[in-house]
């Protein structure tokens, strides 16, 4: 993986898009390396939480690779869009929480990547946007779908139709990001959150993620049924017995086994 770095620290992993000369743009090579990194952490039972960020201090991901896209045919564009969406859905549906540490420009595919993550933390200097209509195209990696699910529909349409960028404080105001940090503190803040998540029962966290994702696709009643299923399945795990025993015996320093 030349264009994506993977670092593991205890029970957390940091995936870094490493294409700084192109502001970490999402070429096919970058997407292939990202998919490889995602599959690595997804299949590592010792990793309980994941961070995605960009190399350097200018850009998280500045977008897709325009030079690569420019001359694609309709069929080639569809293949490219399907592949990008496949990778982002793997992130979105991974059985581990994923935190985006947005350290700079998150434009086009960069904003789409951030939105595929569960939680978005951003540098207070970060910039977000979907500039595609100014290039004669629509978002192609889930932007029209995720943005309208994360922020009010009218705000999503304004961002998409105007192609104007929004700064970090506005992104926080509309609920696109969870919190802002000085750029030099961002990655440490993301690691602190990831480590805090990793202290909890991994299977319970994964079940919570699955319940939210599945529930958002259906009615409230369907979502409640999903929650009951995920809730009850937790009672087949060792971590449920251990966690409740720790609570009853006032044990604070818990060590879940992901079993």
């Amino acid at each position: 993986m030349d264009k994506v770095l993977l670092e593991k620290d205890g029970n957390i992993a940091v995936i870094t898009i490493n294409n700084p000369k192109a502001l970490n743009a999402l070429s096919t090579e970058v997407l292939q390396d990202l998919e490889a990194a995602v599959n690595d952490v997804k299949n590592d039972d010792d990793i309980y939480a994941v961070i995605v960020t960009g190399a350097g201090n200018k850009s998280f991901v500045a977008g897709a690779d325009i030079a690569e896209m420019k001359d694609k045919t309709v069929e080639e564009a569809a293949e490219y869009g399907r592949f990008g969406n496949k990778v982002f859905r793997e992130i979105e549906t991974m059985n581990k929480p994923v935190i985006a540490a947005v350290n700079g420009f998150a434009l086009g595919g960069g904003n789409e990547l951030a939105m595929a993550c569960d939680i978005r933390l951003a540098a207070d200097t970060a910039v977000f946007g979907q500039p595609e209509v100014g290039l004669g195209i629509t978002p192609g990696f889930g932007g029209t779908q995720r943005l309208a699910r994360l922020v009010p529909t009218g705000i999503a349409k304004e961002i998409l139709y105007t192609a104007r960028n929004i700064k970090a404080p506005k992104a926080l105001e509309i609920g696109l990001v969870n919190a802002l940090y000085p750029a030099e503190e961002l990655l440490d803040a993301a690691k602190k959150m990831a480590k805090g998540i990793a202290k909890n029962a991994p299977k319970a966290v994964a079940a919570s993620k699955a319940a939210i994702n599945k529930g958002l696709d259906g009615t409230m009643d369907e979502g409640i049924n999903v929650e009951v299923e995920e809730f009850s399945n937790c009672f087949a795990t060792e971590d449920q017995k251990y966690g409740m025993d720790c609570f009853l015996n006032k044990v604070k320093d818990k060590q879940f086994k992901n079993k």
Side-chain angles (χ1 to χ4, degrees), residues 190-238:
K191 288 181 177 180
K192 181 178 180 181
M193 179 180 284
K195 289 177 180 178
I197 292 170
K199 289 181 180 179
N200 297 311
K203 290 188 179 299
V205 173
S208 297
K209 176 172 178 173
I212 292 171
N213 286 350
K214 293 175 186 176
L216 286 173
D217 291 333
T219 66
M220 177 62 77
D221 286 337
E222 290 168 341
I224 292 298
N225 289 334
V226 169
E227 180 176 288
V228 169
E229 180 181 1
E230 296 293 348
F231 164 75
S232 59
N233 286 342
C234 288
F235 285 76
T237 68
E238 292 182 20

Side-chain angles (χ1 to χ4, degrees), residues 5 33 51 57 145 167 169 173 176 201 205-206 235 249:
L5 306 177
D33 284 359
I51 297 167
N57 55 16
Q145 302 307 303
K167 294 182 179 180
E173 178 187 332
L176 183 57
V205 173
F235 285 76
N249 293 305

Side-chain angles (χ1 to χ4, degrees), residues 49 106 124 157 188:
D124 53 17
K157 289 180 177 180
D188 285 341

Side-chain angles (χ1 to χ4, degrees), residues 144 147-161:
T144 60
L147 189 59
R149 285 168 167 80
L150 286 170
V151 306
T153 305
I155 298 296
K157 289 180 177 180
E158 178 184 346
I159 291 169
L160 290 165
Y161 299 171

Side-chain angles (χ1 to χ4, degrees), residues 101-115:
V102 183
N103 55 307
F105 292 112
L107 305 177
N111 192 44
E112 290 169 309
L113 173 58
M115 292 192 294

